[in-house]
Amino acid sequence: MGSSSSKVLTGLLCTPSVSCQVPAASAASSENWTFQPLPFSSSDRWIVDANGNNVPVVGINWPGAADTMLPEGLGYQSIANIAQKITDTGFNTVRLTFAIELVDDILDNGGDVALSTTLTNALGQTNGIAMLAKIINNNPQFNANTTRLQVFDAVAAGLATQDIYVHLDNHVSKAMWCCSLTDGNSWFGDTYFDTNKWVRGLSYMAAHGKANWQTFSSMGLRNELRPALTGAPNLQPYTWSTWKTYMTAAASAIYSANPDVLIYFSGLESDFNIEPAVGGSTLLDPGFSFDVASYEWAHKLVFEMHEYDEGISSSCPVYETILESFGADATTRTTGNRAPLVISEWGHDETDASDAWQSAYSECLAQFIVQRQLGWMVWVLAGSYYIRSGVQDSDETYGLLDHMWSEYRGVNSSAAIKQLVQQTYAAYGQ
Ligand SMILES: *[C@@H]1O[C@H](CO)[C@@H](O)[C@H](O)[C@H]1NC(C)=O
Ligand SMILES: *[C@@H]1O[C@H](CO)[C@@H](O)[C@H](O)[C@H]1NC(C)=O
Ligand SMILES: *[C@@H]1O[C@H](CO)[C@@H](O)[C@H](O)[C@H]1NC(C)=O
């Protein structure tokens, strides 16, 4: 951890010499932010509520896009317990991920799939039945015939009970752990990335959420676009022009199905680079130009970026300059497409022993977020997954929660997250 970053952060964040523990008083209180009325819009660089007041987005990722196509963790906890933990930590938003395959099954393959079937498909007969029993034991409102989308509805309802906004993210097309360059989900036209089904799936979920989810605030068009090395026959050129063609079409489809939700635009290189979209042009693709104001959904656009530790953050000023050059200047620039920016994934090993909670990366990024009043969503809530890349009950060291989705994985690490939560609200006067 760079001492320079610690100095910069003195008084703002935890440092190697100052504990990240929050005062005991704060740990006991629960909801500690103002619920603001939907629908949200974007206005200049801000996300604003129905009354025009600025909204901080302070969120955590809850994955639901892997093989089972179910929100994770329900074999260990009830939805209510998980939602309570999210509230206790102070988050106001959950980025819930889903696979387009869920919608394809509903529309093309005989209808929504029951829990018993999706679990035995993903985990095998014996383990699938065992997991079904655990999920029902924790969540007795379900039975073997409860469908995947009904489980998503129950999660959305559980979050609404806690006043938590639901941001729905399309993570993949074919349900699996994301992301590689060869997984067939990478880029428009890739092996599983059928662009028509993608637009249809987004549109379906936009309408479904509008009808059924009380705190549905926003949707992300696609997680971590990246080059595909599959040689799929329909693969489109990896250019910003291709990006614009499909992203604007999908945004228009969402907007017509649901004119209320914000629409998050991710970039290329696994969402590390949003600069051409923010700037409105790029030398790499002279035919590309992007003028947000010319679209009917201009007042719904939010940019999103992902920022993991790329080993480029030993000095906060240098790190900020790099992030800005990849589009993190979306909120401050005076030319191009000035708009709200949410860091919709960042995160690190949550075990205290890793020390990642006090790395230069964590401290520089946290400082940048607070100073710029950016939204953010940490990766990840999950302490473990039903199945990840073929491994069942797979542990997640980046999980805020432990393997059983019960306690925080790290004491100091979770305290650092809570501190950033409170600092973000404070930057908005809350
Ligand atoms: C957590 O913070 C406390 C207080 O600063 C410190 O004594 C302890 O060593 C830290 N634990 C780890 C694993 O970093
Ligand atoms: C909530 O806000 C109050 C008043 O500002 C503060 O004392 C408390 O620590 C906060 N709670 C949490 C969970 O941070
Ligand atoms: C599930 O549906 C089947 C077929 O309709 C029915 O026989 C069975 O009783 C249902 N199971 C539950 C737990 O409702």
Side-chain angles (χ1 to χ4, degrees):
M1 54 234 64
S3 54
S4 59
S5 66
S6 304
K7 266 179 232 143
V8 175
L9 287 162
T10 301
L12 181 62
L13 283 178
C14 44
T15 70
S17 55
V18 177
S19 168
C20 272
Q21 299 280 2
V22 289
S26 53
S29 120
S30 65
E31 181 171 315
N32 215 3
W33 46 278
T34 314
F35 182 80
Q36 297 180 245
L38 295 159
F40 295 162
S41 300
S42 50
S43 172
D44 186 54
R45 60 139 298 178
W46 303 103
I47 293 172
V48 297
D49 68 16
N51 297 330
N53 295 315
N54 297 345
V55 180
V57 172
V58 179
I60 188 159
N61 282 270
W62 187 344
D67 313 41
T68 66
M69 292 175 248
L70 298 171
E72 301 283 345
L74 306 181
Y76 283 119
Q77 294 293 331
S78 67
I79 291 171
N81 281 353
I82 296 170
Q84 184 65 54
K85 200 77 180 173
I86 294 167
T87 290
D88 289 347
T89 314
F91 297 112
N92 69 2
T93 303
V94 160
R95 181 175 183 253
L96 188 59
T97 74
F98 83 103
I100 293 295
E101 187 180 352
L102 176 146
V103 180
D104 295 346
D105 282 347
I106 293 171
L107 298 178
D108 295 338
N109 302 326
D112 200 3
V113 177
L115 267 180
S116 54
T117 309
T118 200
L119 289 167
T120 53
N121 284 350
L123 307 180
Q125 189 67 25
T126 306
N127 293 352
I129 295 300
M131 181 55 75
L132 175 65
K134 289 184 192 173
I135 290 176
I136 293 173
N137 188 46
N138 289 317
N139 298 273
Q141 73 271 37
F142 299 150
N143 64 48
N145 295 336
T146 304
T147 65
R148 291 174 186 146
L149 197 47
Q150 287 172 336
V151 175
F152 272 86
D153 289 347
V155 166
L159 294 172
T161 300
Q162 298 280 2
D163 280 349
I164 293 167
Y165 306 113
V166 174
H167 170 80
L168 183 68
D169 172 69
N170 175 230
H171 218 62
V172 288
S173 288
K174 183 176 173 54
M176 64 172 84
W177 175 256
C178 191
C179 304
S180 80
L181 307 184
T182 54
D183 64 12
N185 282 316
S186 300
W187 183 251
F188 307 100
D190 202 357
T191 311
Y192 304 117
F193 194 164
D194 177 317
T195 54
N196 291 328
K197 288 183 175 174
W198 172 64
V199 171
R200 180 183 71 170
L202 289 170
S203 181
Y204 183 93
M205 293 304 285
H208 180 83
K210 182 173 171 56
N212 297 284
W213 299 352
Q214 223 183 313
T215 53
F216 190 27
S217 62
S218 44
M219 285 181 76
L221 291 172
R222 186 72 171 194
N223 181 65
E224 299 199 356
L225 292 162
R226 56 201 180 276
L229 301 183
T230 53
N234 295 325
L235 204 52
Q236 300 301 300
Y238 187 69
T239 65
W240 282 93
S241 292
T242 300
W243 176 92
K244 178 184 168 181
T245 299
Y246 292 107
M247 296 293 268
T248 59
S252 295
I254 288 177
Y255 188 68
S256 87
N258 180 342
D260 290 340
V261 282
L262 294 170
I263 305 168
Y264 283 37
F265 279 65
S266 57
L268 270 58
E269 330 315 349
S270 303
D271 207 14
F272 183 75
N273 182 16
I274 194 75
E275 209 290 320
V278 168
S281 64
T282 172
L283 295 173
L284 298 173
D285 184 354
F288 169 79
S289 71
F290 184 46
D291 176 18
V292 172
S294 68
Y295 295 94
E296 59 181 346
W297 36 257
H299 62 298
K300 293 293 175 182
L301 176 138
V302 172
F303 287 119
E304 60 178 315
M305 291 179 82
H306 290 183
E307 300 302 343
Y308 287 99
D309 189 353
E310 313 279 353
I312 52 175
S313 43
S314 59
S315 146
C316 291
V318 171
Y319 185 50
E320 290 178 14
T321 303
I322 294 171
L323 296 190
E324 294 207 308
S325 73
F326 284 98
D329 61 345
T331 62
T332 52
R333 59 182 304 124
T334 53
T335 59
N337 298 308
R338 181 168 154 127
L341 176 65
V342 173
I343 308 298
S344 55
E345 282 189 26
W346 69 280
H348 50 70
D349 190 323
E350 283 287 320
T351 52
D352 284 342
S354 77
D355 258 354
W357 55 277
Q358 56 181 352
S359 66
Y361 152 74
S362 308
E363 296 190 343
C364 291
L365 184 60
Q367 171 181 268
F368 187 65
I369 283 170
V370 172
Q371 287 179 346
R372 294 294 173 89
Q373 295 165 278
L374 306 182
W376 57 275
M377 300 162 179
V378 69
W379 185 272
V380 63
L381 181 63
S384 52
Y385 302 99
Y386 305 120
I387 181 168
R388 167 177 165 170
S389 304
V391 179
Q392 297 193 23
D393 197 27
S394 175
D395 193 54
E396 173 59 277
T397 54
Y398 277 45
L400 177 72
L401 301 181
D402 61 13
H403 193 90
M404 314 276 283
W405 290 61
S406 169
E407 302 302 327
Y408 293 122
R409 184 168 290 262
V411 174
N412 294 1
S413 198
S414 61
I417 296 278
K418 284 183 178 176
Q419 190 165 16
L420 179 59
V421 166
Q422 296 310 321
Q423 285 167 342
T424 309
Y425 292 132
Y428 278 78
Q430 294 189 8

